[in-house]
Each structure stands twice: as C-alpha cells, then as structure tokens.
Amino acid sequence: MTSIKATDEAGVAPVSDLTSIVRPFLLLVILLVYWISFEPFHDRSGADLAGPLGTGNIANQIAFPLLWAVLAVFTLATKPKHLLHVAAFPVVAFIVWLLITNVVSGDPATGLKRGLFEVISVTIAAMAVGLPQSPRQFANQLAIAALAVLVLCYFGVAFLPSLSIHSTGDTLEKELAGNWRGFFNHKNEAGAMMVVLIFTGLFIKDAGQRWAGWLVVGLASVFLLFSVSKTSIALVPFTLALAALVYRLRSGWLRAIFILLPLVLLNVATVGSSWPGPVRSIVAMVLPDATFTGRTDLWRFSMEQTAEHPVFGYGLTGPWRTNELMYRDKLPAEPEDISGWVEELGTDSHNSYLEAALQFGIPGLILLLLAVIYLPMRDFGTALRVSNNPALLRYFLRLWIYVLYTASLETVLVSRNNPVWFMALMAIFGMHLLARFPVAEEGRAA
C-alpha cells in the first residue's frame, strides 16, 4: 500500500494489469488460509484430545511452504525491496534467537521444523501487507474473507452443531456446553477471531463500505456474545477506548504509559495470583474466581519450568503434553501442587509472555517484547505524524493493542498458524510501513 512515488524511487517498475489482478487474489487466498485453515470444524469428542500432542497436519506442512514460495517469487518479481522495507532489527533478532533455541532444544529436529514454520508465517505476513494496492482494495478483500468466516461459522451452528457448539459430549471442558465455537477448536479461539472481525468491520466501514462494514461488525458481535468468551468480550470496549485515547495523544511517553501500565498491572494481578499472598487476596476480593478458570496452575507450572531452563528454554517442542511429562511417576502432592491435571491436560501457558519465556528463555522473551511492543509503539508514533491514512493506522493500532492484552490470558504470540497472531503480525509490519511511506491514493497502484 505504499505510494507509486516511493515504489518508483526504489527502482521498481509500475505494476502491470496482470499483477493488479494477482495482488488482491493472493491476499484473499492468504486471509482465507489463515482465518479458516485447511481443517475447519473440530470433533472434540475424540479420546486423542486427552493424549500427547500430535505432530501436525500434513496439509499445513505442504500448503504453507508452497504458499510462501509463490508469494516470495511474486514479491521479489514485483517489489524486490519490499522485504528490506519491512525488515526491522528486533523482529530479525527474535527470529534468529527462535531458531537457535530450537536447535539446542531436547528435540532439535522437531523444534527446528516448527521454528521454520514460524518463520514462514512471519514472512508471509510481512509480504502480505504489501499486496493491496490501496486501503480500499485491502478493505474489499478483508470484507470477502470476513463474511466467508462468518457464513461458515453460522452455517456450522445451524447445520453442524455437534462440531460448532461445545457440548457435554466433549472429551474435555464439558462445562462449556452451549458455547458457540463455529469451525474453531475452542470458544476462546472463536471469540478472539470475532474481535479481530469487529475491528476489521470498523475498518471496512471507514474505508467506504459502510453496509459491509456494519454487517461484519454486527454478525461478529452476536457470535462473540454466544461464544461466551469473557476475555474477548471485555477487551472489545477496552481496546476501542484505549486505542481512541492513544490515537489522540501526541506525547510518546504518555502513549507508552497508557498502553503499558494497564498491561503490567493486568499481568501482576493475574500471574501474581498463582501463589498465596497479597495479590491473590486482593484479586479474590474483586473477582469471584481468583484462579482465572484454573489458569493460575498453568502460570505457576510455566514459571517453575522456565526456572529450570532460563536461557534457551524448551524451544517450540514443549514441555506441554509430552509422553515424558504426562506419564512420568507422580510425586506426593504439595500444598500448591497442580494435582497432575496440568501435566496431563495442559497445552500452553494461557499467557503469551510466560509461554515465550518457557519456549525461548528470558533472552527470547526480551527480544519478543522488543519486537511486539517497542517496535510497533515507536512506529505508531512516527506514523501518527506522517501517515496520510488515519483509518488504516487506527485499524492496525486496535489489532495491536487487543493482541497485547489478550496475550496476558491466552497464548497467541508466536503461534504459527493462529489467525489472531497472523493479524497481529500484519498490524506490526503495517505500522512499520506507514511510518516510512505514504499510502497509495485510490485508483493508483502500489
């Protein structure tokens, strides 16, 4: 979406009619692949849900590298300097450290494979953000993809309820019976994606397609409410209000305070409740469930495991739901023991920052924070002064803020094919571009 002037100065010829057709098509394919995936509608009644984590989906292992190759060839042919424009040192440094931690992990072959797939997702997002020729074209493709997701989700609820609504027949979490999840695996995944679609609908509306934008907002909002994803529901008004405030502030220090202070307090209140003490006591006075639906067990386990591997972590291979962890001999329970359920059923930390420390060590967590917090905050401040498209900047800002906060209660950062993480990457790379180049005018190619 950078301007023709900026592109021509980079030495790239104006786009041809063919590339003008291919660009939106490729963008739509990417959005559909990440938002819907190759295996929608999950059966949660299978016994395998309670067993060790699997090795992945063969369709993903073929399709994503192929998609990456096609997109890389197209990008190098049409915008050979695009990857240089979006590359930022914090992101590159984190990717390098991610690969190092997986090479030295307990299972380097599996870890390196997962690391390479993470790199594929990051670079696809970096290239995808340069595909649309204008904000209006970006909004068009987002509208098509968003409506496709919503139609499929509502179709599942209406005609495939056993695969689209949590029920008492599920192997795990029978208490979620009645909560909508659509074609997603869990109601929290569905809820998080609905929030992304709400912000997407607002951008579509601001880009000129009012009816399509409000339709997406309305359908996503209803589905979000029926998913009963409490974190996502609460974060919608919070994110909209915080983004509106941050957008109006002109002081970089004030922006940092308003974005980071609530984020730090949220993590202190949640993770701090993992052990008996004043934090847990205060939280118990305010909330009916000071365990945050059992998350405190996961957070305590994550920190204990991180303390055993503080430098390189475990890599992307674990330690969740491995045979060694699930079936090892149990020790006598301690007062704050996790009673075995975390070892047998836990799949992640339910906190992206703790998960990053667990997988990549403390150095990896620091590099990740630089890539997903410092870099976007700096780029937003620059883009706020120079960008000529406030609607696009607000869209990226809302996505970014939402992901930072939902990351405190869910594992969304560095999660490969997760659609919310993918959109966060597009927002981060998008703000990086907006800070450097003007947006193309309508009717002009980028």
Side-chain angles (χ1 to χ4, degrees):
M1 285 175 282
T2 53
S3 70
I4 287 180
K5 180 179 179 182
T7 306
D8 288 344
E9 288 175 351
V12 181
V15 294
S16 66
D17 292 338
L18 179 59
T19 57
S20 297
I21 297 173
V22 173
R23 284 185 183 280
F25 173 76
L26 269 179
L27 177 61
L28 181 59
V29 169
I30 291 168
L31 291 173
L32 292 176
V33 166
Y34 274 93
W35 288 7
I36 298 178
S37 82
F38 292 102
E39 46 178 353
F41 298 110
H42 301 263
D43 182 4
R44 292 182 59 85
S45 64
D48 59 316
L49 288 175
L53 295 179
T55 57
N57 179 273
I58 187 64
N60 291 338
Q61 295 173 8
I62 296 174
F64 282 100
L66 180 62
L67 181 62
W68 176 87
V70 171
L71 188 56
V73 170
F74 181 81
T75 300
L76 291 174
T78 58
K79 282 186 174 182
K81 293 189 177 181
H82 173 74
L83 286 175
L84 292 178
H85 291 158
V86 296
F89 178 76
V91 177
V92 175
F94 172 70
I95 288 176
V96 171
W97 184 259
L98 178 151
L99 294 175
I100 291 173
T101 58
N102 282 282
V103 168
V104 300
S105 67
D107 185 358
T110 302
L112 187 57
K113 182 177 72 173
R114 293 179 181 178
L116 290 175
F117 270 91
E118 185 62 53
V119 173
I120 285 174
S121 284
V122 172
T123 50
I124 287 178
M127 292 184 285
V129 78
L131 287 175
Q133 297 168 257
S134 68
R136 182 180 293 273
Q137 186 180 87
F138 188 34
N140 290 342
Q141 306 313 100
L142 286 170
I144 295 172
L147 289 172
V149 169
L150 290 165
V151 167
L152 199 56
C153 282
Y154 278 100
F155 173 84
V157 169
F159 299 104
L160 299 171
S162 63
L163 300 178
S164 305
I165 303 175
H166 285 285
S167 71
T168 55
D170 293 353
T171 300
L172 303 175
E173 298 180 296
K174 299 178 186 294
E175 67 276 10
L176 301 181
N179 296 349
W180 290 9
R181 59 185 176 91
F183 60 78
F184 296 93
N185 185 53
H186 194 276
K187 62 111 172 182
N188 286 342
E189 295 177 18
M193 190 61 202
M194 291 304 124
V195 177
V196 169
L197 294 186
I198 289 172
F199 298 151
T200 299
L202 292 175
F203 168 66
I204 293 168
K205 182 263 299 181
D206 292 340
Q209 300 187 53
R210 297 183 63 85
W211 286 105
W214 284 123
L215 179 61
V216 170
V217 171
L219 291 174
S221 298
V222 171
F223 203 97
L224 173 61
L225 291 175
F226 279 96
S227 75
V228 198
S229 180
K230 294 183 287 293
T231 299
S232 295
I233 292 172
L235 282 178
V236 171
F238 173 83
T239 301
L240 290 174
L242 181 58
L245 174 63
V246 168
Y247 191 84
R248 285 165 174 75
L249 294 173
R250 291 299 178 263
S251 167
W253 285 106
L254 282 178
R255 284 196 298 268
I257 290 172
F258 276 99
I259 291 174
L260 297 181
L261 182 59
L263 184 63
V264 171
L265 292 177
L266 175 61
N267 278 274
V268 169
T270 53
V271 177
S273 299
S274 299
W275 284 275
V279 174
R280 179 186 289 186
S281 300
I282 294 173
V283 171
M285 294 171 58
V286 178
L287 299 176
D289 180 15
T291 71
F292 297 90
T293 60
R295 286 179 172 87
T296 51
D297 291 339
L298 295 166
W299 297 332
R300 188 166 61 251
F301 175 81
S302 296
M303 288 185 282
E304 291 170 352
Q305 295 297 310
T306 299
E308 296 183 10
H309 297 81
V311 179
F312 294 105
Y314 288 85
L316 289 167
T317 56
W320 302 104
R321 298 273 287 276
T322 59
N323 285 312
E324 292 80 4
L325 180 67
M326 293 180 67
Y327 306 130
R328 71 183 182 184
D329 294 334
K330 300 295 188 295
L331 299 175
E334 297 294 333
E336 284 294 313
D337 185 56
I338 55 178
S339 301
W341 85 265
V342 169
E343 297 179 346
E344 296 181 2
L345 300 177
T347 58
D348 59 76
S349 301
H350 274 278
N351 181 299
S352 296
Y353 308 110
L354 293 182
E355 188 73 9
L358 181 66
Q359 293 182 339
F360 315 118
I362 303 302
L365 171 62
I366 294 172
L367 291 174
L368 179 64
L369 294 178
L370 291 175
V372 303
I373 295 182
Y374 166 74
L375 176 67
M377 191 178 301
R378 183 199 68 184
D379 288 336
F380 172 77
T382 303
L384 193 60
R385 297 192 302 270
V386 304
S387 176
N388 61 337
N389 195 287
L392 186 60
L393 184 58
R394 280 197 300 268
Y395 177 49
F396 289 149
L397 176 66
R398 289 165 178 165
L399 288 175
W400 174 60
I401 289 177
Y402 168 68
V403 170
L404 289 186
Y405 279 85
T406 197
S408 301
L409 292 165
E410 303 292 343
T411 301
V412 294
L413 304 181
V414 200
S415 49
R416 294 198 297 283
N417 305 334
N418 185 307
V420 177
W421 168 235
F422 181 77
M423 294 308 295
L425 287 169
M426 287 197 71
I428 291 170
F429 289 125
M431 286 193 287
H432 191 62
L433 285 176
L434 289 177
R436 304 184 66 187
F437 303 105
V439 175
E441 299 175 4
E442 299 296 340
R444 300 180 69 186

